[in-house]
Structures are given as structure tokens and as C-alpha cells.
Amino acid sequence: MSPDKKKILTIVGARPQFIKAAVVSRRLKQADWVQEIIVHTGQHYDPEMSDIFFSEMDIPTPGYNLEIGSGSHGTQTGKMMQAIEEVFLKEKPDCVLVYGDTNSTLAGALVAAKLHITLAHVESGLRSGNKKMPEEINRICTDHVSDLLFVPTDTARQNLLHEGCAKSSIAMSGDVMYDAALFYATKSNDDILSELGLKPQCFLLATIHRAENTDSPQRLDAIFAALAELAHEIDVVLPLHPRTKRLLAERNFQNPNPERLRIIGPVSYLQMIALEKNCALIATDSGGVQKEAYFFGRPCITLRDETEWVELVNAGYNRLAEANKDKILAAYRHFMKNKPEFKGSFYGKGDAGQLIVSRLHAYLHR
Ligand code: UD1
Ligand code: UDP
């Protein structure tokens, strides 16, 4: 590496981080002042939760795969910190880049901050107000030890100011997931529709993986009861997260209607956006999928009690239905009768990746 190039280490580990990092990595590759090394913690490791995103989205092969795998919060985060520290001490990066709110984010952030390495957080400032969510703890801690806070929305910016973060550390970038949706939309793998025998606009797409739903038998049962009921009216396609698969198996879940409640394995990003573009509506507890519903003009039933993406709820594009069967069915009927007219641009102009790289350049050459 040329001695005057800056070195950025990017920490990723979970599915949504591969998608977010794909956007910024593409821009970093185009810049002549920087070398990026990707560090994969191994939090997600099944090929359909990890490798497929690197190959399909052309993400640089990680320089390190720490192969930490699954575990309790303390074990997983602790093992990650130990392994990440070794990498940082060896590589001596100028900057560490972390994304979102997973345990990989927190581990990378804490190690960088304690080694006094410049730390940049992409998708900063989001808050649900619910500290029982592991993600909320990860976000708050990461934001408060970061030097550069890239916020996707003005609400996120306000949240940081409210918590006393320095105004000068906050940069409005817009949302990197919007960049991804725009860039990959024309490359979507629509074959999945014919493979599953689905007609455009005639199915509901669902995803469920949040701990608050999977780890509560009552919530999980209520959500699946609602999906089974909806399957009497519309085909339901559910690409199942491995966490949810494990917990359903533990509960001896039997699919009451496999013909119309189609539970499949996790799909690739290009398959996922094909499903999102072509479905009638979405039901999800995913943060990323709520935004993609908006990017592709699909109403969204959110299977949570609160959301970080409040602007979508305020605009009437997204309804919070908790894990409440009646509320889920009511939201479905509402959206089937009143399809919202999608307007506005809540998440920037699709140039978040470029803005982030420009700001990093300015900060690291100040
Ligand atoms: C993690 C993030 C969550 C994010 C989600 C994205 C934390 C605390 N949570 O949740 O914020 O929304 O990723 O998908 O970081 N498993 C496999 N194979 C894999 C990965 C996981 O079988 O490749 C199973 C294991 O049983 C594991 C469980 O899924 O125990 C949970 O995985 P983990 O990475 O701990 O959390 P997620 O629920 O995936
Ligand atoms: N996604 C995917 N395949 C799937 C389910 C989701 O490619 O089977 C993508 C989805 O399009 C979005 C991201 O994964 O870009 C969201 O990740 P996830 O729901 O796991 O996590 P969250 O966003 O809730 O943290």
C-alpha cells in the first residue's frame, strides 16, 4: 500500500451490514486516497446469510473472517472484541467504519474507541426508545463513542443532538440502503417469482426475526396465526431467518397451509428485491425491509410495537400492528382497500455512499 494512502477497516458481520457496506465499499474502491480492508466477524455464517451477498453484490472479499459465530450477547460480543483488537493492533487503521446496530457494530466500536482510532458510524442516531432491544443498546453505545456520525434522517440527527452529541460530529448522509435499492433494482433476480409460481401484485411478503418476536412464544404464535389466516385470502411468502426457523422447530410448529403460506429459506438480496418490487404488500419486523417497502412503493405492516422509521408511519405508508393478530388483519384490510400514494424522499437522494466517502476524506485529511 502506498504510504500516503489512508487505511479504513470496515467491520461487518450480519446480513444487513453486507448490504450497507456494499454501497460504501464500491465508492471506496473508486477513491485513490484510501485502502479498505473488510473484517467479517462471522456473526452470520450460513452461505445464504453471508457468502451469497459478497458474490452477488460484488463486495470485496474480507481480509479477515473472525468466525465468531453464534452465542449469548456477552459471549459473542466479548469474543468479537478480543479478535477485533488483534486485527486493529496488527493493521493500525486510520479509521474504523461500523454499520447499524448489531453486536458486530458494538464490538468494533468499543475496540476502536479504546485504541483511540477514528470511528465512523453509518446509520447513526436511530432510536426506538425501547432499551429491551439489544439493538437499542448497541446503537446508543456506538453513537456515544464515535467521532463521525452519519445519520440517514433528520429525526436521527435530532435524536443525537437531544442526547448531547456534538453537532460537528454529525453528518447528514441519507440512507445507504436507498443507494443499494436504486443501484441493484434493475439487477433484481425476478426468476424467483416463476420458481415460486407467484403472480405480481398477488402475494404478501413477510419476514420475522426480531428477538422480541422470536423469543416470545405468545408473540410468535400470534404472528403465525395471523399469517395463516391471511393465507386464506392471499399467497404469503416468508423467507425464514435461521433464528426463527430454530425457534419454530423448538415449538414444534406445523405449517397449517403450506400451499399458500410459503415458508422458504433466506433469499439473496437480488431475489429479495424482486419479491419486494412485485408483492402486494409486506409484513415484517425488519428495519431494512420496512424501508425497502417504501423504496418500492409497497405498504408495510410492521410486526413491532414501535419503529425507528417513524416518518413512514406518520406518512401512512407503514402501520404498527405489534404482534397482535387482530391488528395485523386490520392493517392488511386497510392497505388492500386504501393503497397509499407513495410520495416524498425521506432517505436522501441515493448518494449516501458518495457523501460518506467525501466526508471521510475531509475528516482524515483535516
Ligand atoms: C442479528 C442482529 C439484529 C439484526 C439481524 C439481521 C444482534 C444483537 N442482532 O440478529 O439486530 O436485525 O442480525 O439479520 O446483533 N443463525 C444461524 N445461521 C447464521 C446466523 C444465525 O443459524 O448464519 C441462528 C443461530 O441459531 C443464532 C441465531 O440465528 O443463535 C441468532 O443469530 P444472531 O446473529 O445472534 O442474531 P440475529 O437474530 O441474526
Ligand atoms: N434480506 C435478504 N434476504 C432475506 C431477507 C432479507 O436479502 O431473506 C435483506 C433485505 O432485503 C434487507 C436486509 O436483508 O436489505 C434486512 O436485513 P434483516 O431483516 O436481516 O435485518 P434488519 O434490517 O432488521 O437489521
Side-chain angles (χ1 to χ4, degrees):
M1 174 178 121
S2 134
D4 36 295
K5 274 202 182 188
K6 299 289 182 189
K7 190 190 278 185
I8 293 186
L9 257 58
T10 295
I11 306 291
V12 293
R15 174 168 67 187
Q17 293 168 327
F18 310 138
I19 294 157
K20 292 166 197 172
V23 169
V24 180
S25 288
R26 190 156 41 82
R27 296 294 181 189
L28 287 171
K29 239 191 288 180
Q30 291 161 359
D32 57 5
W33 57 271
V34 61
Q35 181 205 10
E36 183 193 31
I37 300 175
I38 295 185
V39 180
H40 187 330
T41 63
Q43 178 170 350
H44 286 174
Y45 44 84
D46 291 343
E48 68 269 28
M49 293 296 288
S50 175
D51 294 357
I52 183 75
F53 297 94
F54 285 83
S55 52
E56 193 179 70
M57 303 179 84
D58 201 18
I59 306 169
T61 306
Y64 295 86
N65 189 327
L66 308 177
E67 296 183 352
I68 301 300
S70 306
S72 66
H73 288 282
T75 303
Q76 190 182 50
T77 313
K79 281 186 179 171
M80 284 177 191
M81 286 180 67
Q82 199 171 0
I84 289 171
E85 187 176 56
E86 278 180 34
V87 176
F88 288 0
L89 289 172
K90 178 168 166 234
E91 292 289 345
K92 300 185 178 43
D94 298 291
C95 175
V96 166
L97 200 49
V98 295
Y99 290 88
D101 52 20
T102 72
N103 288 347
S104 298
T105 316
L106 178 67
L110 290 178
V111 177
K114 293 208 168 186
L115 291 176
H116 306 165
I117 302 167
T118 296
L119 175 64
H121 183 203
V122 175
E123 211 182 60
S124 171
L126 296 176
R127 298 291 182 264
S128 65
N130 176 1
K131 282 197 186 152
K132 292 229 166 75
M133 286 176 73
E135 293 85 359
E136 187 80 347
I137 309 291
N138 293 344
R139 293 174 191 135
I140 293 172
C141 296
T142 300
D143 283 337
H144 285 266
V145 294
S146 291
D147 302 289
L148 277 172
L149 299 161
F150 291 109
V151 293
T153 61
D154 195 53
T155 306
R157 187 172 158 274
Q158 294 301 337
N159 289 339
L160 293 176
L161 291 174
H162 182 69
E163 289 175 17
C165 295
K167 208 172 170 182
S168 58
S169 63
I170 304 172
M172 172 67 72
S173 58
D175 197 310
V176 288
M177 290 192 88
Y178 184 39
D179 295 30
L182 292 175
F183 183 78
Y184 293 99
T186 53
K187 303 173 176 45
S188 67
N189 182 351
D190 295 359
D191 290 350
I192 188 156
L193 298 174
S194 50
E195 284 163 19
L196 294 172
L198 295 168
K199 289 198 202 81
Q201 311 290 332
C202 295
F203 65 96
L204 177 144
L205 174 65
T207 78
I208 302 146
H209 76 277
R210 289 267 164 205
E212 72 220 48
N213 286 331
T214 59
D215 298 7
S216 155
Q218 292 83 351
R219 291 181 73 100
L220 199 59
D221 287 352
I223 289 171
F224 274 86
L227 293 179
E229 184 121 355
L230 286 173
H232 292 303
E233 298 183 32
I234 188 166
D235 283 323
V236 176
V237 179
L238 171 57
L240 200 63
H241 191 288
R243 174 191 198 100
T244 319
K245 184 178 179 187
R246 175 166 60 77
L247 283 141
L248 285 176
E250 279 173 19
R251 293 189 58 65
N252 293 317
F253 171 79
Q254 300 293 329
N255 185 347
N257 186 0
E259 287 283 302
R260 300 204 67 189
L261 173 52
R262 314 278 292 278
I263 303 181
I264 59 176
V267 296
S268 77
Y269 181 70
L270 296 185
Q271 290 176 321
M272 188 66 181
I273 57 177
L275 292 171
E276 289 171 340
K277 281 197 305 188
N278 286 288
C279 67
L281 77 171
I282 292 179
T284 190
D285 59 8
S286 159
V289 176
Q290 287 177 65
K291 284 179 291 175
E292 287 163 355
Y294 168 69
F295 300 151
F296 296 115
R298 296 292 172 264
C300 185
I301 304 168
T302 293
L303 306 169
R304 291 181 49 195
D305 301 354
E306 70 278 309
T307 180
E308 300 74 28
W309 308 105
V310 285
E311 50 286 328
L312 299 177
V313 175
N314 295 339
Y317 306 151
N318 183 328
R319 278 203 160 191
L320 290 173
E322 303 161 23
N324 178 313
K325 184 178 161 196
D326 292 339
K327 288 191 181 176
I328 296 167
L329 297 176
Y332 168 76
R333 296 197 207 302
H334 166 79
F335 282 134
M336 291 307 269
K337 267 207 213 112
N338 317 284
K339 183 155 190 299
E341 225 185 279
F342 286 85
K343 288 192 216 127
S345 162
F346 293 132
Y347 300 106
K349 299 194 183 117
D351 57 358
Q354 189 52 54
L355 287 169
I356 288 167
V357 172
S358 302
R359 180 81 182 96
L360 285 170
H361 177 270
Y363 191 86
L364 295 174
H365 293 87
R366 71 195 185 286

